[in-house]
Amino acid sequence: QVQLVESGGRLVQAGGSLRLSCVASGSIFSINAMGWYRQAPGKQRELVASITSGGSTNYSDSVKDRFTISRDNAKNTVYLQMNSLKPEDTAVYYCNADGVRTYYSPSRREVYWGQGTQVTVSS
């Protein structure tokens, strides 16, 4: 069983910074891509940023130049550094792990999600 646990979400003022962390645990052999999604009330879940095991990154236009995603492959951990936060960044942020291979089922590639962490940016 693979679990993703996020941390770091809290209330912050506009213009402030936050760092989210997500740790994947379990019998993990490898993870292809890890990423962050967010869902605001009444809106669909959207991709914020993703990073492959090789370090290639992808960002949504709304967070480019403000957010930075990074990853520690040895620790199966992904981070999201969020700077210059805006009220419209308020959402539940979910960690995602894609292409997960485990030691007990190495031929399968699965997707896992965390439970989410709340980020609230006040104006």
Side-chain angles (χ1 to χ4, degrees), residues 49-95:
S50 64
I51 184 168
T52 67
S53 57
S56 296
T57 58
N58 181 44
Y59 296 92
S60 72
D61 288 342
S62 62
V63 306
K64 274 180 184 176
D65 302 323
R66 297 190 298 123
F67 291 8
T68 302
I69 190 169
S70 60
R71 176 175 173 174
D72 186 332
N73 290 329
K75 296 181 179 179
N76 290 324
T77 300
V78 64
Y79 307 96
L80 186 67
Q81 178 66 42
M82 304 186 292
N83 299 328
S84 302
L85 282 161
K86 304 175 181 180
E88 51 263 45
D89 294 318
T90 295
V92 178
Y93 284 69
Y94 295 92
C95 178

Side-chain angles (χ1 to χ4, degrees), residues 4 6 22 33-37 78 94-98 111-114:
L4 303 183
E6 304 104 330
C22 171
M34 299 187 77
W36 291 94
Y37 288 70
V78 64
Y94 295 92
C95 178
N96 169 272
D98 194 5
V111 179
Y112 292 91
W113 291 90

